[in-house]
Amino acid sequence: QRAGREVAGGSGSSPQIRNQDRVPGRWTPVTERDLLLSKRDTTTARIASLQHDWQDIVDASTSVSTDDEHDPEGATIAFERAQIETLIEQARQQLIELDDALSRLEGGGYGICEDCGQPIAVERLEVRPTARTCIGCASRRR
């Protein structure tokens, strides 16, 4: 069953997580689902943090009566706001890709290259868990 395949084990060079809730002091295997859900949680928290930062900038700029065009700090404030908006959009796109990967996992297509139908290397999925193509097909797309 693909959904339960381990991508990292208790020994070797694969990434591991320490699961202190189940067995204190022991390393436990990480499944693809665990990795995707962990990255999804991290991305969701990142979006919330960035939105908070964006709101702080907006609140700070509205409390000042000067406008961006004539205020020497205005360009910096506008840049910071735009930069955070871009980071939020990138994180939202990552969230979409993670949800797509979870759907492929549930449907049995996770870890299979969408171009050639061959398995995607575990090492690639550990680095880029949302990968849809194997390394060979990804390099041909460039």
Side-chain angles (χ1 to χ4, degrees), residues 19-62:
N19 188 340
Q20 294 180 337
D21 295 331
R22 291 189 188 161
V23 183
R26 306 216 51 208
W27 295 95
T28 59
V30 178
T31 65
E32 290 129 334
R33 183 170 174 76
D34 294 333
L35 289 173
L36 291 169
L37 289 173
S38 175
K39 288 206 173 277
R40 190 181 194 293
D41 290 346
T42 301
T43 302
T44 301
R46 183 169 186 236
I47 291 170
S49 176
L50 287 167
Q51 288 173 330
H52 182 268
D53 292 347
W54 184 86
Q55 191 59 51
D56 285 348
I57 291 170
V58 169
D59 291 346
S61 66
T62 57

mmCIF file of all heavy atoms in Angstrom, residues 19-62:
data_model
loop_
_atom_site.group_PDB
_atom_site.id
_atom_site.type_symbol
_atom_site.label_atom_id
_atom_site.label_comp_id
_atom_site.label_asym_id
_atom_site.label_seq_id
_atom_site.Cartn_x
_atom_site.Cartn_y
_atom_site.Cartn_z
ATOM 1 N N ASN A 19 9.863 10.698 18.356
ATOM 2 C CA ASN A 19 8.494 10.595 18.814
ATOM 3 C C ASN A 19 8.509 10.310 20.314
ATOM 4 O O ASN A 19 8.497 9.167 20.734
ATOM 5 C CB ASN A 19 7.768 9.484 18.053
ATOM 6 C CG ASN A 19 6.294 9.460 18.359
ATOM 7 O OD1 ASN A 19 5.869 9.994 19.379
ATOM 8 N ND2 ASN A 19 5.532 8.846 17.514
ATOM 9 N N GLN A 20 8.538 11.368 21.102
ATOM 10 C CA GLN A 20 8.628 11.202 22.541
ATOM 11 C C GLN A 20 7.287 10.846 23.169
ATOM 12 O O GLN A 20 7.246 10.376 24.287
ATOM 13 C CB GLN A 20 9.187 12.467 23.173
ATOM 14 C CG GLN A 20 10.616 12.714 22.763
ATOM 15 C CD GLN A 20 11.171 13.969 23.385
ATOM 16 O OE1 GLN A 20 10.427 14.860 23.765
ATOM 17 N NE2 GLN A 20 12.482 14.050 23.477
ATOM 18 N N ASP A 21 6.187 11.062 22.443
ATOM 19 C CA ASP A 21 4.882 10.740 23.001
ATOM 20 C C ASP A 21 4.656 9.232 23.078
ATOM 21 O O ASP A 21 4.064 8.740 24.025
ATOM 22 C CB ASP A 21 3.767 11.377 22.170
ATOM 23 C CG ASP A 21 3.809 12.885 22.234
ATOM 24 O OD1 ASP A 21 4.268 13.408 23.269
ATOM 25 O OD2 ASP A 21 3.412 13.528 21.262
ATOM 26 N N ARG A 22 5.137 8.511 22.071
ATOM 27 C CA ARG A 22 4.903 7.068 22.037
ATOM 28 C C ARG A 22 5.970 6.307 22.828
ATOM 29 O O ARG A 22 5.670 5.532 23.696
ATOM 30 C CB ARG A 22 4.869 6.578 20.600
ATOM 31 C CG ARG A 22 3.662 7.071 19.853
ATOM 32 C CD ARG A 22 3.558 6.401 18.528
ATOM 33 N NE ARG A 22 2.496 7.039 17.761
ATOM 34 C CZ ARG A 22 2.372 6.949 16.470
ATOM 35 N NH1 ARG A 22 3.228 6.241 15.772
ATOM 36 N NH2 ARG A 22 1.386 7.543 15.852
ATOM 37 N N VAL A 23 7.213 6.499 22.462
ATOM 38 C CA VAL A 23 8.300 5.804 23.132
ATOM 39 C C VAL A 23 9.411 6.811 23.394
ATOM 40 O O VAL A 23 10.163 7.144 22.490
ATOM 41 C CB VAL A 23 8.838 4.638 22.253
ATOM 42 C CG1 VAL A 23 9.925 3.878 22.991
ATOM 43 C CG2 VAL A 23 7.714 3.713 21.824
ATOM 44 N N PRO A 24 9.501 7.308 24.616
ATOM 45 C CA PRO A 24 10.523 8.313 24.914
ATOM 46 C C PRO A 24 11.920 7.833 24.529
ATOM 47 O O PRO A 24 12.290 6.696 24.793
ATOM 48 C CB PRO A 24 10.396 8.500 26.427
ATOM 49 C CG PRO A 24 9.003 8.079 26.750
ATOM 50 C CD PRO A 24 8.685 6.974 25.776
ATOM 51 N N GLY A 25 12.668 8.734 23.861
ATOM 52 C CA GLY A 25 14.041 8.432 23.507
ATOM 53 C C GLY A 25 14.234 7.571 22.273
ATOM 54 O O GLY A 25 15.348 7.229 21.945
ATOM 55 N N ARG A 26 13.176 7.204 21.583
ATOM 56 C CA ARG A 26 13.304 6.328 20.414
ATOM 57 C C ARG A 26 12.908 7.069 19.156
ATOM 58 O O ARG A 26 12.067 7.945 19.168
ATOM 59 C CB ARG A 26 12.408 5.105 20.568
ATOM 60 C CG ARG A 26 12.710 4.426 21.888
ATOM 61 C CD ARG A 26 12.653 2.980 21.966
ATOM 62 N NE ARG A 26 13.377 2.255 20.979
ATOM 63 C CZ ARG A 26 13.008 1.047 20.604
ATOM 64 N NH1 ARG A 26 11.942 0.489 21.117
ATOM 65 N NH2 ARG A 26 13.708 0.376 19.728
ATOM 66 N N TRP A 27 13.527 6.677 18.047
ATOM 67 C CA TRP A 27 13.224 7.238 16.736
ATOM 68 C C TRP A 27 12.185 6.354 16.073
ATOM 69 O O TRP A 27 12.243 5.136 16.160
ATOM 70 C CB TRP A 27 14.472 7.301 15.868
ATOM 71 C CG TRP A 27 15.483 8.236 16.426
ATOM 72 C CD1 TRP A 27 16.529 7.929 17.229
ATOM 73 C CD2 TRP A 27 15.523 9.648 16.259
ATOM 74 N NE1 TRP A 27 17.236 9.060 17.567
ATOM 75 C CE2 TRP A 27 16.631 10.128 16.979
ATOM 76 C CE3 TRP A 27 14.739 10.554 15.565
ATOM 77 C CZ2 TRP A 27 16.973 11.470 17.023
ATOM 78 C CZ3 TRP A 27 15.091 11.883 15.604
ATOM 79 C CH2 TRP A 27 16.186 12.326 16.333
ATOM 80 N N THR A 28 11.217 6.973 15.423
ATOM 81 C CA THR A 28 10.185 6.192 14.753
ATOM 82 C C THR A 28 10.148 6.555 13.275
ATOM 83 O O THR A 28 10.551 7.646 12.885
ATOM 84 C CB THR A 28 8.798 6.462 15.379
ATOM 85 O OG1 THR A 28 8.512 7.852 15.273
ATOM 86 C CG2 THR A 28 8.757 6.037 16.828
ATOM 87 N N PRO A 29 9.659 5.647 12.443
ATOM 88 C CA PRO A 29 9.592 5.915 11.007
ATOM 89 C C PRO A 29 8.631 7.065 10.687
ATOM 90 O O PRO A 29 7.668 7.310 11.402
ATOM 91 C CB PRO A 29 9.055 4.616 10.419
ATOM 92 C CG PRO A 29 9.198 3.595 11.485
ATOM 93 C CD PRO A 29 9.204 4.318 12.789
ATOM 94 N N VAL A 30 8.924 7.725 9.595
ATOM 95 C CA VAL A 30 8.080 8.814 9.115
ATOM 96 C C VAL A 30 7.476 8.370 7.786
ATOM 97 O O VAL A 30 8.182 7.933 6.892
ATOM 98 C CB VAL A 30 8.921 10.093 8.895
ATOM 99 C CG1 VAL A 30 8.057 11.208 8.345
ATOM 100 C CG2 VAL A 30 9.588 10.515 10.177
ATOM 101 N N THR A 31 6.174 8.484 7.659
ATOM 102 C CA THR A 31 5.524 8.130 6.392
ATOM 103 C C THR A 31 5.373 9.381 5.527
ATOM 104 O O THR A 31 5.527 10.507 6.012
ATOM 105 C CB THR A 31 4.132 7.520 6.635
ATOM 106 O OG1 THR A 31 3.285 8.518 7.219
ATOM 107 C CG2 THR A 31 4.210 6.291 7.535
ATOM 108 N N GLU A 32 5.053 9.166 4.264
ATOM 109 C CA GLU A 32 4.824 10.291 3.364
ATOM 110 C C GLU A 32 3.733 11.204 3.913
ATOM 111 O O GLU A 32 3.860 12.420 3.874
ATOM 112 C CB GLU A 32 4.399 9.786 1.981
ATOM 113 C CG GLU A 32 5.511 9.102 1.227
ATOM 114 C CD GLU A 32 5.095 7.740 0.705
ATOM 115 O OE1 GLU A 32 4.199 7.111 1.293
ATOM 116 O OE2 GLU A 32 5.690 7.308 -0.292
ATOM 117 N N ARG A 33 2.678 10.601 4.424
ATOM 118 C CA ARG A 33 1.568 11.385 4.975
ATOM 119 C C ARG A 33 2.046 12.257 6.136
ATOM 120 O O ARG A 33 1.683 13.429 6.225
ATOM 121 C CB ARG A 33 0.446 10.448 5.415
ATOM 122 C CG ARG A 33 -0.780 11.164 5.938
ATOM 123 C CD ARG A 33 -1.937 10.179 6.134
ATOM 124 N NE ARG A 33 -3.064 10.800 6.754
ATOM 125 C CZ ARG A 33 -3.921 11.631 6.143
ATOM 126 N NH1 ARG A 33 -3.749 11.916 4.884
ATOM 127 N NH2 ARG A 33 -4.929 12.163 6.798
ATOM 128 N N ASP A 34 2.879 11.685 7.026
ATOM 129 C CA ASP A 34 3.432 12.449 8.145
ATOM 130 C C ASP A 34 4.204 13.664 7.640
ATOM 131 O O ASP A 34 4.050 14.770 8.162
ATOM 132 C CB ASP A 34 4.384 11.593 8.994
ATOM 133 C CG ASP A 34 3.696 10.453 9.722
ATOM 134 O OD1 ASP A 34 2.486 10.564 10.019
ATOM 135 O OD2 ASP A 34 4.379 9.451 9.985
ATOM 136 N N LEU A 35 5.063 13.439 6.629
ATOM 137 C CA LEU A 35 5.870 14.537 6.089
ATOM 138 C C LEU A 35 4.995 15.623 5.474
ATOM 139 O O LEU A 35 5.203 16.815 5.707
ATOM 140 C CB LEU A 35 6.849 14.009 5.037
ATOM 141 C CG LEU A 35 8.011 13.172 5.554
ATOM 142 C CD1 LEU A 35 8.792 12.564 4.394
ATOM 143 C CD2 LEU A 35 8.917 13.998 6.436
ATOM 144 N N LEU A 36 4.011 15.208 4.684
ATOM 145 C CA LEU A 36 3.133 16.182 4.028
ATOM 146 C C LEU A 36 2.310 16.960 5.050
ATOM 147 O O LEU A 36 2.169 18.184 4.938
ATOM 148 C CB LEU A 36 2.219 15.485 3.016
ATOM 149 C CG LEU A 36 2.919 14.923 1.781
ATOM 150 C CD1 LEU A 36 1.963 14.019 0.997
ATOM 151 C CD2 LEU A 36 3.450 16.038 0.895
ATOM 152 N N LEU A 37 1.770 16.261 6.036
ATOM 153 C CA LEU A 37 0.964 16.942 7.056
ATOM 154 C C LEU A 37 1.814 17.887 7.899
ATOM 155 O O LEU A 37 1.361 18.980 8.250
ATOM 156 C CB LEU A 37 0.235 15.924 7.936
ATOM 157 C CG LEU A 37 -0.896 15.171 7.257
ATOM 158 C CD1 LEU A 37 -1.443 14.074 8.171
ATOM 159 C CD2 LEU A 37 -2.013 16.109 6.806
ATOM 160 N N SER A 38 3.042 17.483 8.201
ATOM 161 C CA SER A 38 3.944 18.353 8.957
ATOM 162 C C SER A 38 4.261 19.620 8.162
ATOM 163 O O SER A 38 4.217 20.731 8.704
ATOM 164 C CB SER A 38 5.236 17.596 9.286
ATOM 165 O OG SER A 38 6.150 18.460 9.904
ATOM 166 N N LYS A 39 4.579 19.456 6.887
ATOM 167 C CA LYS A 39 4.857 20.623 6.041
ATOM 168 C C LYS A 39 3.610 21.484 5.886
ATOM 169 O O LYS A 39 3.711 22.708 5.833
ATOM 170 C CB LYS A 39 5.382 20.180 4.681
ATOM 171 C CG LYS A 39 6.793 19.653 4.752
ATOM 172 C CD LYS A 39 7.487 19.807 3.441
ATOM 173 C CE LYS A 39 8.933 19.436 3.548
ATOM 174 N NZ LYS A 39 9.774 20.502 4.057
ATOM 175 N N ARG A 40 2.445 20.866 5.833
ATOM 176 C CA ARG A 40 1.192 21.623 5.717
ATOM 177 C C ARG A 40 0.968 22.461 6.977
ATOM 178 O O ARG A 40 0.615 23.634 6.901
ATOM 179 C CB ARG A 40 0.015 20.680 5.487
ATOM 180 C CG ARG A 40 -1.247 21.420 5.130
ATOM 181 C CD ARG A 40 -2.432 20.493 4.915
ATOM 182 N NE ARG A 40 -3.518 21.203 4.267
ATOM 183 C CZ ARG A 40 -4.223 22.183 4.818
ATOM 184 N NH1 ARG A 40 -3.957 22.589 6.047
ATOM 185 N NH2 ARG A 40 -5.193 22.786 4.148
ATOM 186 N N ASP A 41 1.192 21.865 8.137
ATOM 187 C CA ASP A 41 1.049 22.595 9.406
ATOM 188 C C ASP A 41 2.021 23.771 9.475
ATOM 189 O O ASP A 41 1.650 24.876 9.885
ATOM 190 C CB ASP A 41 1.284 21.666 10.602
ATOM 191 C CG ASP A 41 0.175 20.650 10.801
ATOM 192 O OD1 ASP A 41 -0.915 20.813 10.197
ATOM 193 O OD2 ASP A 41 0.404 19.674 11.546
ATOM 194 N N THR A 42 3.262 23.529 9.079
ATOM 195 C CA THR A 42 4.280 24.583 9.081
ATOM 196 C C THR A 42 3.892 25.717 8.134
ATOM 197 O O THR A 42 4.030 26.895 8.469
ATOM 198 C CB THR A 42 5.650 24.001 8.679
ATOM 199 O OG1 THR A 42 5.996 22.974 9.613
ATOM 200 C CG2 THR A 42 6.731 25.059 8.664
ATOM 201 N N THR A 43 3.396 25.354 6.959
ATOM 202 C CA THR A 43 3.004 26.364 5.968
ATOM 203 C C THR A 43 1.805 27.164 6.447
ATOM 204 O O THR A 43 1.769 28.389 6.292
ATOM 205 C CB THR A 43 2.705 25.687 4.607
ATOM 206 O OG1 THR A 43 3.869 24.965 4.195
ATOM 207 C CG2 THR A 43 2.340 26.706 3.548
ATOM 208 N N THR A 44 0.836 26.504 7.055
ATOM 209 C CA THR A 44 -0.340 27.199 7.589
ATOM 210 C C THR A 44 0.078 28.182 8.686
ATOM 211 O O THR A 44 -0.397 29.325 8.724
ATOM 212 C CB THR A 44 -1.358 26.180 8.132
ATOM 213 O OG1 THR A 44 -1.736 25.298 7.067
ATOM 214 C CG2 THR A 44 -2.598 26.858 8.674
ATOM 215 N N ALA A 45 0.983 27.762 9.548
ATOM 216 C CA ALA A 45 1.481 28.649 10.610
ATOM 217 C C ALA A 45 2.254 29.818 10.009
ATOM 218 O O ALA A 45 2.155 30.956 10.496
ATOM 219 C CB ALA A 45 2.355 27.870 11.578
ATOM 220 N N ARG A 46 3.009 29.553 8.958
ATOM 221 C CA ARG A 46 3.768 30.624 8.299
ATOM 222 C C ARG A 46 2.827 31.665 7.701
ATOM 223 O O ARG A 46 3.063 32.871 7.811
ATOM 224 C CB ARG A 46 4.665 30.032 7.216
ATOM 225 C CG ARG A 46 5.523 31.065 6.546
ATOM 226 C CD ARG A 46 6.575 30.405 5.670
ATOM 227 N NE ARG A 46 7.454 31.426 5.159
ATOM 228 C CZ ARG A 46 7.692 31.618 3.877
ATOM 229 N NH1 ARG A 46 7.147 30.835 2.979
ATOM 230 N NH2 ARG A 46 8.497 32.571 3.490
ATOM 231 N N ILE A 47 1.753 31.202 7.068
ATOM 232 C CA ILE A 47 0.775 32.131 6.492
ATOM 233 C C ILE A 47 0.177 33.008 7.591
ATOM 234 O O ILE A 47 0.085 34.227 7.441
ATOM 235 C CB ILE A 47 -0.327 31.368 5.719
ATOM 236 C CG1 ILE A 47 0.263 30.749 4.456
ATOM 237 C CG2 ILE A 47 -1.502 32.287 5.384
ATOM 238 C CD1 ILE A 47 -0.677 29.767 3.748
ATOM 239 N N ALA A 48 -0.199 32.401 8.695
ATOM 240 C CA ALA A 48 -0.789 33.165 9.805
ATOM 241 C C ALA A 48 0.200 34.198 10.339
ATOM 242 O O ALA A 48 -0.177 35.348 10.602
ATOM 243 C CB ALA A 48 -1.231 32.217 10.919
ATOM 244 N N SER A 49 1.450 33.815 10.483
ATOM 245 C CA SER A 49 2.473 34.734 10.972
ATOM 246 C C SER A 49 2.700 35.888 10.000
ATOM 247 O O SER A 49 2.788 37.052 10.411
ATOM 248 C CB SER A 49 3.783 33.971 11.200
ATOM 249 O OG SER A 49 4.806 34.849 11.577
ATOM 250 N N LEU A 50 2.776 35.569 8.710
ATOM 251 C CA LEU A 50 2.964 36.616 7.699
ATOM 252 C C LEU A 50 1.769 37.565 7.646
ATOM 253 O O LEU A 50 1.939 38.779 7.499
ATOM 254 C CB LEU A 50 3.206 35.984 6.325
ATOM 255 C CG LEU A 50 4.568 35.331 6.124
ATOM 256 C CD1 LEU A 50 4.568 34.473 4.869
ATOM 257 C CD2 LEU A 50 5.674 36.377 6.084
ATOM 258 N N GLN A 51 0.564 37.019 7.769
ATOM 259 C CA GLN A 51 -0.622 37.879 7.778
ATOM 260 C C GLN A 51 -0.603 38.811 8.983
ATOM 261 O O GLN A 51 -1.000 39.973 8.883
ATOM 262 C CB GLN A 51 -1.896 37.022 7.763
ATOM 263 C CG GLN A 51 -2.139 36.367 6.421
ATOM 264 C CD GLN A 51 -3.300 35.390 6.437
ATOM 265 O OE1 GLN A 51 -3.597 34.764 7.454
ATOM 266 N NE2 GLN A 51 -3.950 35.252 5.294
ATOM 267 N N HIS A 52 -0.138 38.305 10.110
ATOM 268 C CA HIS A 52 -0.020 39.133 11.311
ATOM 269 C C HIS A 52 1.002 40.251 11.076
ATOM 270 O O HIS A 52 0.750 41.415 11.411
ATOM 271 C CB HIS A 52 0.382 38.275 12.508
ATOM 272 C CG HIS A 52 0.474 39.029 13.789
ATOM 273 N ND1 HIS A 52 1.647 39.590 14.240
ATOM 274 C CD2 HIS A 52 -0.474 39.338 14.708
ATOM 275 C CE1 HIS A 52 1.423 40.203 15.379
ATOM 276 N NE2 HIS A 52 0.146 40.067 15.691
ATOM 277 N N ASP A 53 2.148 39.898 10.487
ATOM 278 C CA ASP A 53 3.173 40.902 10.182
ATOM 279 C C ASP A 53 2.639 41.962 9.221
ATOM 280 O O ASP A 53 2.880 43.158 9.394
ATOM 281 C CB ASP A 53 4.418 40.241 9.561
ATOM 282 C CG ASP A 53 5.159 39.361 10.544
ATOM 283 O OD1 ASP A 53 4.886 39.433 11.762
ATOM 284 O OD2 ASP A 53 6.017 38.582 10.082
ATOM 285 N N TRP A 54 1.901 41.503 8.206
ATOM 286 C CA TRP A 54 1.329 42.430 7.216
ATOM 287 C C TRP A 54 0.361 43.392 7.913
ATOM 288 O O TRP A 54 0.398 44.594 7.673
ATOM 289 C CB TRP A 54 0.625 41.647 6.116
ATOM 290 C CG TRP A 54 0.092 42.506 5.009
ATOM 291 C CD1 TRP A 54 0.768 42.932 3.903
ATOM 292 C CD2 TRP A 54 -1.227 43.051 4.908
ATOM 293 N NE1 TRP A 54 -0.044 43.704 3.122
ATOM 294 C CE2 TRP A 54 -1.283 43.798 3.712
ATOM 295 C CE3 TRP A 54 -2.363 42.984 5.699
ATOM 296 C CZ2 TRP A 54 -2.422 44.471 3.305
ATOM 297 C CZ3 TRP A 54 -3.508 43.651 5.289
ATOM 298 C CH2 TRP A 54 -3.521 44.386 4.104
ATOM 299 N N GLN A 55 -0.480 42.852 8.780
ATOM 300 C CA GLN A 55 -1.444 43.694 9.488
ATOM 301 C C GLN A 55 -0.741 44.691 10.394
ATOM 302 O O GLN A 55 -1.171 45.843 10.505
ATOM 303 C CB GLN A 55 -2.424 42.841 10.298
ATOM 304 C CG GLN A 55 -3.599 43.616 10.849
ATOM 305 C CD GLN A 55 -4.424 44.280 9.752
ATOM 306 O OE1 GLN A 55 -4.831 43.642 8.790
ATOM 307 N NE2 GLN A 55 -4.672 45.576 9.883
ATOM 308 N N ASP A 56 0.349 44.286 11.021
ATOM 309 C CA ASP A 56 1.126 45.207 11.857
ATOM 310 C C ASP A 56 1.651 46.384 11.033
ATOM 311 O O ASP A 56 1.617 47.532 11.481
ATOM 312 C CB ASP A 56 2.300 44.492 12.520
ATOM 313 C CG ASP A 56 1.884 43.608 13.681
ATOM 314 O OD1 ASP A 56 0.718 43.701 14.133
ATOM 315 O OD2 ASP A 56 2.735 42.801 14.127
ATOM 316 N N ILE A 57 2.127 46.093 9.818
ATOM 317 C CA ILE A 57 2.634 47.161 8.945
ATOM 318 C C ILE A 57 1.505 48.093 8.541
ATOM 319 O O ILE A 57 1.647 49.320 8.563
ATOM 320 C CB ILE A 57 3.337 46.568 7.709
ATOM 321 C CG1 ILE A 57 4.640 45.883 8.123
ATOM 322 C CG2 ILE A 57 3.615 47.637 6.658
ATOM 323 C CD1 ILE A 57 5.291 45.073 7.030
ATOM 324 N N VAL A 58 0.374 47.521 8.172
ATOM 325 C CA VAL A 58 -0.787 48.334 7.778
ATOM 326 C C VAL A 58 -1.237 49.198 8.948
ATOM 327 O O VAL A 58 -1.472 50.398 8.786
ATOM 328 C CB VAL A 58 -1.940 47.445 7.263
ATOM 329 C CG1 VAL A 58 -3.222 48.239 7.100
ATOM 330 C CG2 VAL A 58 -1.543 46.771 5.952
ATOM 331 N N ASP A 59 -1.341 48.606 10.129
ATOM 332 C CA ASP A 59 -1.767 49.363 11.310
ATOM 333 C C ASP A 59 -0.789 50.494 11.631
ATOM 334 O O ASP A 59 -1.203 51.609 11.954
ATOM 335 C CB ASP A 59 -1.908 48.441 12.524
ATOM 336 C CG ASP A 59 -3.071 47.474 12.398
ATOM 337 O OD1 ASP A 59 -3.939 47.665 11.515
ATOM 338 O OD2 ASP A 59 -3.093 46.495 13.179
ATOM 339 N N ALA A 60 0.493 50.208 11.526
ATOM 340 C CA ALA A 60 1.502 51.227 11.816
ATOM 341 C C ALA A 60 1.447 52.358 10.803
ATOM 342 O O ALA A 60 1.605 53.532 11.160
ATOM 343 C CB ALA A 60 2.891 50.605 11.834
ATOM 344 N N SER A 61 1.199 52.031 9.556
ATOM 345 C CA SER A 61 1.171 53.073 8.529
ATOM 346 C C SER A 61 -0.106 53.908 8.590
ATOM 347 O O SER A 61 -0.088 55.081 8.229
ATOM 348 C CB SER A 61 1.354 52.476 7.138
ATOM 349 O OG SER A 61 0.264 51.667 6.785
ATOM 350 N N THR A 62 -1.202 53.340 9.061
ATOM 351 C CA THR A 62 -2.443 54.112 9.162
ATOM 352 C C THR A 62 -2.448 55.026 10.378
ATOM 353 O O THR A 62 -3.189 55.998 10.411
ATOM 354 C CB THR A 62 -3.690 53.196 9.201
ATOM 355 O OG1 THR A 62 -3.576 52.299 10.291
ATOM 356 C CG2 THR A 62 -3.854 52.446 7.903
#
